[in-house]
Amino acid sequence: MKLNQILKGCTEDEKDIEVTGLCADSSKVKKGDLFFCYSGKQFDSHSCAEQVAKAGAAAIVCERRLNCPLPQIIVKDGRAAVAQAARNFYGNADEKLKIVAVTGTNGKTTTTFMLAEIFKADGKKTGIIGTLGILYGDKFISPELTTPDPIYLHSVFKDMVDCGVEYVFMEVSAHALYFDKIAGITFEAGIFTNCSQDHLDFFNSMREYSECKKKLFKDGRCKISIINSDDHLGREIAAFAPDAVMYGLKNPADVFAVDIADSVEGVSFVINIFDELYDIKLHLLGEYNVYNAMAAAACADALGVDIETIASGLSRLEKVDGRLELAGSYNGGSIFVDFAHTPDGLEKSLKTLKGLCKGKLYCLFGCGGNRDKTKRPVMGSIAAKYADFCIITSDNPRYEDPYEIITQIEEGLRPSGKAYVTVTDRQTATEYAVKLLKQGDILLVAGKGGETYQEIMGIKHSYNDNTVIKNIIS
């Protein structure tokens, strides 16, 4: 493909060069690639110009003139350029799909899976892009990032079109919005789930994090906005969002639920969608999944799906990997695995299980290394508030000392006077916790959910909470 076609909308430069691929990772450059340079918080890929030239790149898109023999196209913003170039290179495949974006601190994954089931029930071919990976047709691509980088994202869109996919439900992270990975995409709908503390290792404040979430709903990116009326940021977004449809339980909303009943089999309720009522039965637990279901239902209704089909789709979703998932039972006690890795997520999961627990509630969790340190004592305090006994362990310590992370969690847990233990090795901690269980007890294993690795000193070791628990039980 000619360079001037790829860079249409990015620059006025008309260089007529044949390009065979796009690349923004200097370690993966192939002969004939167009390489994109941009500055990051920790690394500036402009320093890789000589390396990509030796690898055979055809040209470089950069933000400043470089001492490099390759043809150079200077742009104001390299990230914006790569997003638009990827769209052009893959034939603007995003325009041939109906794409729904879901953003928020918690609930993104579950909401996308609910939407996929609803639209499958409506006879549509669907795709999912998010934390658990990329799924469409008979394809599954293992997860790397919640929202893929633009070159890969648009290559996936192209393949989805080729496979006949009609609707795509994708998680859009705050980082993706910050780095403008979704530049140029117009979404059929955008969903906002909630906003609570997370990613303060990257964002300087909750206000900066919140403002980043708002970006999805500005500049005409979403034709319709589906907004949580019970969230403070949601109400801010609704003030400027186009055609906002509100859902919630506590504040006035277009979509709401009544007669909520929770059990170990799932949660049931009556949904009201613009005064049309229907009984909903979920296989998932907790009031927060009522919120996720309302978000998915409000979006589906706005996109023309009838309420009976919405209810059918929601009832078909048996589980979402690692989202308050029943992993098994031991000695009469139940074991749940959940991705809860934020204060809000942990509190919601523990509160849900506390209401169902007939014995003792145990909580096993840790906090990720090289991430927001301020949430560690907060999560310790929350665990102490709801659990009868806590097991503090490791959760992707990355380049940090696991003992130091655990000590910071203890700062929030210790003042409660609640009993707890610390066991650095997660598998050993899980074995210990499972064997504490008696009839009617519940153990929550939190933080990793469906993850298949434990990251230590830059190495991802194979590890999955569900697998470990099943091995212990057997």
Side-chain angles (χ1 to χ4, degrees), residues 249-250 260 262 267 285-292 351-352:
L249 298 176
K250 300 169 186 174
I260 300 170
D262 218 348
V267 62
L285 307 180
E287 183 181 89
Y288 63 91
N289 274 318
V290 177
Y291 276 92
N292 295 333
K351 190 175 180 181
T352 295

Side-chain angles (χ1 to χ4, degrees), residues 14 26 278 308 366 370 376 397 467:
E14 291 293 324
S26 59
Y278 212 92
E308 187 174 351
N370 302 107
R376 295 169 186 174
T467 302

